[in-house]
């Protein structure tokens, strides 16, 4: 159950209404009066926005709760990776079969596309991780990222992986360079890759057909 991160007191039901309770309490705990991080309403707001966007895209169809659960999983993964630079296996390894089967049953993805998405997604980053470590002697890609890309491929199909890999790598490189220049970090500074994979996966979810058409028409 939800608890105050400061005093550990259980949150009352009336104080646990997304967004509204935070505003009514002025961003503080009713029991100890300490400030509660603005991350809580931020995550609630992001989730609410996607709930509305997905409803507009899918309506009240069986696909709606499936895709919403997928988005919620990516939100959780993003914030955990930003904080701790890990991606829990329970989310990705559990998500691979759940989301792949759901995509086949409710989103029209073929079994072949889902299977290839899992295999290519896992194999691509695993190949990068092994050779990067062999060349540099340092781990550059964690197993969580490998599992995450496999999950994304299983849900969105193998064609989505091209866009996800290219754009997430570009975004990661830009952010990494900005951190190096702005905060004086060196080239060994670790930037979590999971959030970039999640962001580009969400973009592809909404614009997939358009993006795939552009990429494959260019012969990329």
């Amino acid at each position: 159950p939800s608890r105050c991160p400061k005093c550990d007191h259980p949150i009352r039901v009336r104080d646990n209404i997304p967004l509204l309770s935070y505003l009514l309490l002025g961003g503080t705990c009713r029991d100890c009066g300490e400030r509660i991080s603005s991350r809580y309403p931020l995550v609630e707001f992001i989730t609410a926005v996607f709930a509305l966007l997905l409803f507009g895209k899918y309506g009240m169809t069986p696909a709606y709760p499936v895709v919403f659960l997928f988005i919620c999983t990516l939100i959780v993964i993003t914030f955990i990776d930003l904080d701790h630079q890990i991606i829990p296996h329970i989310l990705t390894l559990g998500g691979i079969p759940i989301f792949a089967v759901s995509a086949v049953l409710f989103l029209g993805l073929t079994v072949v596309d889902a299977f290839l998405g899992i295999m290519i997604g896992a194999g691509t980053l695993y190949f990068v991780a092994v050779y990067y470590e062999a060349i540099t002697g340092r781990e550059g890609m964690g197993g969580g990222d490998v599992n995450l890309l496999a999950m994304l491929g299983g849900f969105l199909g193998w064609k989505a992986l091209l866009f996800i890999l290219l754009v997430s790598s570009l975004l990661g490189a830009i952010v990494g360079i900005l951190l190096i220049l702005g905060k004086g970090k060196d080239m060994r500074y670790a930037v979590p890759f999971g959030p970039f994979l999640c962001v580009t996966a969400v973009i592809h979810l909404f614009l997939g057909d358009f993006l795939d058409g552009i990429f494959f028409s260019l012969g990329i």
Side-chain angles (χ1 to χ4, degrees):
S2 299
R3 294 177 177 273
C4 171
K6 303 294 184 181
C7 67
D8 204 38
H9 193 283
I11 304 296
R12 299 167 180 81
V13 174
R14 68 177 185 274
D15 294 336
N16 210 20
I17 303 172
L19 292 175
L20 182 60
S21 292
Y22 186 87
L23 295 175
L24 292 176
L25 291 171
T28 61
C29 172
R30 183 185 296 273
D31 296 286
C32 66
E34 290 291 328
R35 295 289 302 177
I36 296 176
S37 172
S38 58
R39 170 175 292 193
Y40 291 93
L42 174 62
V43 172
E44 292 167 354
F45 177 75
I46 292 172
T47 305
V49 168
F50 277 118
L52 290 173
L53 291 175
L54 292 173
F55 183 77
K57 181 177 175 64
Y58 296 100
M60 225 25 157
T61 65
Y64 174 69
V66 170
V67 182
F68 181 62
L69 178 61
F70 176 73
I71 291 288
C72 290
T73 302
L74 297 187
I75 292 173
V76 172
I77 288 174
T78 295
F79 281 95
I80 290 177
D81 203 15
L82 286 173
D83 281 344
H84 307 289
Q85 294 192 359
I86 61 170
I87 300 176
H89 292 322
I90 191 173
L91 296 176
T92 52
L93 292 181
I96 289 173
I98 292 174
F99 290 122
V101 171
S102 298
V104 172
L105 293 178
F106 302 111
L107 298 178
L109 192 69
T110 68
V111 174
V112 173
D113 281 344
F115 178 77
L116 289 177
I118 294 171
M119 293 297 103
I120 295 174
T124 301
L125 285 192
Y126 181 76
F127 177 86
V128 172
V130 169
Y131 276 86
Y132 181 88
E133 187 170 357
I135 293 172
T136 65
R138 295 184 290 111
E139 181 180 339
M141 190 73 64
D145 295 317
V146 175
N147 297 334
L148 174 58
L149 191 59
M151 186 183 81
L152 299 181
F155 189 72
L156 300 174
W158 67 271
K159 292 181 181 178
L161 296 176
L162 179 61
F163 170 81
I164 292 173
L165 278 173
L166 289 178
V167 177
S168 61
S169 298
L170 177 61
L171 290 176
I174 293 173
V175 171
I177 291 172
L178 291 176
L179 287 174
I180 291 171
L181 296 177
K183 295 188 176 182
K185 304 292 185 179
D186 59 31
M187 294 300 292
R188 294 177 296 179
Y189 179 69
V191 177
F193 191 45
F196 301 107
L197 291 173
C198 292
V199 168
T200 50
V202 171
I203 294 173
H204 192 280
L205 180 66
F206 285 95
L207 303 173
D209 293 337
F210 173 73
L211 295 171
D212 288 343
I214 292 177
F215 271 65
F216 285 95
S217 67
L218 296 175
I220 298 178

